[in-house]
Amino acid sequence: MEVALFYAFASLAILSALLVVSLKNTARALFLFFIVLFAMAGLFLFALADFVAITQILVYVGGVLILMIFAFMLSNKELLADLQNKSSKFLSLPNWQSLLLAIGFLAVLAYGIYEWQEHYPQWITENIRSGAIIKAADNNIQELGLHFMTKYLLPFEVISIFLLVALIGAAHLSRKEDIS
Amino acid sequence: MISITHFLVVSAIIFSIGLYAIIAKRNAIMILVGIELIINAAILNFVAFGRYDKLNYGGQVFALFAIVLAAAAVAVGLAIILAVYRKYKTINPDNITDLQD
């Protein structure tokens, strides 16, 4: 049952990601990107990371995709240009070149996974032996909060400052320039 | 209990799709979508390996950091795209050829 659900989410993610890159219409591709992100959040659940999955849905679907759709609608002229000149050259140069590159990279990664043959690193085997792996009954959110506030306090603060700086920078970049 | 190989294969495929989107697309927003796909593949790997480390919770903690970084990258990237569109009236990276106006 678990494996079947995993395959369902994985195939949903992969198929809709393929559709995202193959569709000509940017608006449809963006809405399909929603489905990819939801399916990826479902995959996170199978790795017992429930808080990460919820954060993925909140941040991506609530924030990032709304921003992307806004940017797409504000630069709307591209839609017409896309529809006009893409259809004539389906197998134009950049398309098959990048397809070749992506498939080559996938082949390298798949070869690496095949050669690996599930030889786990030492820390994984030791943790499996001593039982220090995350189980389904664990209280993930409490543990995450404890670790954020103790062990990972410095990265947490650094990333807070970084997010503040990035958002101020984004607001500064997208302001209306006064014509003087 | 899903083995770690399943996660690795799925994230490798998503990574390659994102790479294709970055190289092939003629639209800056779709290039940003490709970057997001790659970041999501990386987060999936973080989470899949983090399941075997209960003492540090490093996988999930850094997956959350990666989500925050991706959100910041998208905010700045879309602001840049809008500024470029205001000046050039296009968001095709092939047509943006000047560094200054």
Side-chain angles (χ1 to χ4, degrees):
Chain A
M1 182 64 189
E2 195 188 2
V3 176
L5 267 178
F6 178 85
Y7 281 133
F9 272 112
S11 53
L12 182 65
I14 290 168
L15 286 180
S16 41
L18 281 175
L19 263 181
V20 164
V21 295
S22 60
L23 277 183
K24 303 260 187 294
N25 191 330
T26 309
R28 283 186 187 155
L30 281 179
F31 279 106
L32 265 171
F33 187 54
F34 264 101
I35 299 176
V36 179
L37 292 176
F38 267 115
M40 292 298 279
L43 287 182
F44 295 164
L45 284 181
F46 287 96
L48 303 180
D50 42 4
F51 187 68
V52 180
I54 294 296
T55 312
Q56 159 108 345
I57 290 176
L58 279 181
V59 171
Y60 272 96
V61 180
V64 168
L65 265 162
I66 302 297
L67 268 180
M68 280 185 173
I69 289 170
F70 261 120
F72 167 70
M73 286 174 175
L74 287 176
S75 58
N76 211 353
K77 255 185 204 166
E78 275 309 288
L79 183 62
L80 294 174
D82 264 9
L83 290 179
Q84 276 171 1
N85 59 21
K86 272 269 180 75
S87 53
S88 58
K89 37 181 183 179
F90 174 65
L91 277 179
S92 60
L93 209 61
N95 263 337
W96 69 262
Q97 273 178 336
S98 44
L99 197 64
L100 201 68
L101 206 60
I103 289 178
F105 207 90
L106 181 63
V108 170
L109 286 177
Y111 180 71
I113 293 172
Y114 173 73
E115 283 287 299
W116 173 52
Q117 305 252 345
E118 304 232 356
H119 289 129
Y120 288 118
Q122 198 179 1
W123 61 273
I124 287 185
T125 49
E126 271 178 11
N127 279 352
I128 289 176
R129 204 181 317 121
S130 64
I133 61 174
I134 298 175
K135 297 183 186 62
D138 286 343
N139 193 350
N140 250 329
I141 298 174
Q142 188 182 11
E143 291 284 327
L144 267 180
L146 281 175
H147 281 94
F148 264 125
M149 282 299 134
T150 53
K151 191 167 195 171
Y152 299 105
L153 187 57
L154 180 64
F156 185 71
E157 295 296 334
V158 168
I159 210 129
S160 318
I161 300 290
F162 174 80
L163 190 60
L164 182 68
V165 169
L167 290 183
I168 291 175
H172 175 75
L173 275 175
S174 60
R175 78 200 187 285
K176 280 254 191 299
E177 285 185 31
D178 45 352
I179 301 131
S180 55
Chain B
M1 192 94 170
I2 312 275
S3 82
I4 211 166
T5 316
H6 289 74
F7 288 105
L8 290 182
V9 169
V10 171
S11 92
I13 294 172
I14 297 281
F15 187 97
S16 303
I17 293 171
L19 189 67
Y20 173 79
I22 289 180
I23 306 169
K25 287 293 178 179
R26 310 282 187 74
N27 183 336
I29 294 177
M30 290 311 289
I31 290 175
L32 217 53
V33 167
I35 294 174
E36 293 302 309
L37 283 178
I38 284 184
I39 292 176
N40 252 297
I43 293 172
L44 187 60
N45 270 1
F46 268 134
V47 164
F49 276 99
R51 185 175 58 171
Y52 295 99
D53 185 14
K54 197 185 175 168
L55 299 178
N56 297 319
Y57 263 75
Q60 297 194 15
V61 168
F62 280 92
L64 289 170
F65 286 159
I67 288 177
V68 172
L69 283 177
V74 163
V76 175
L78 288 177
I80 291 175
I81 287 173
L82 283 184
V84 164
Y85 178 75
R86 218 178 291 138
K87 196 171 281 274
Y88 289 91
K89 298 294 171 213
T90 179
I91 53 172
N92 185 345
D94 292 343
N95 297 337
I96 301 165
T97 51
D98 302 335
L99 275 180
Q100 63 170 14
D101 39 27

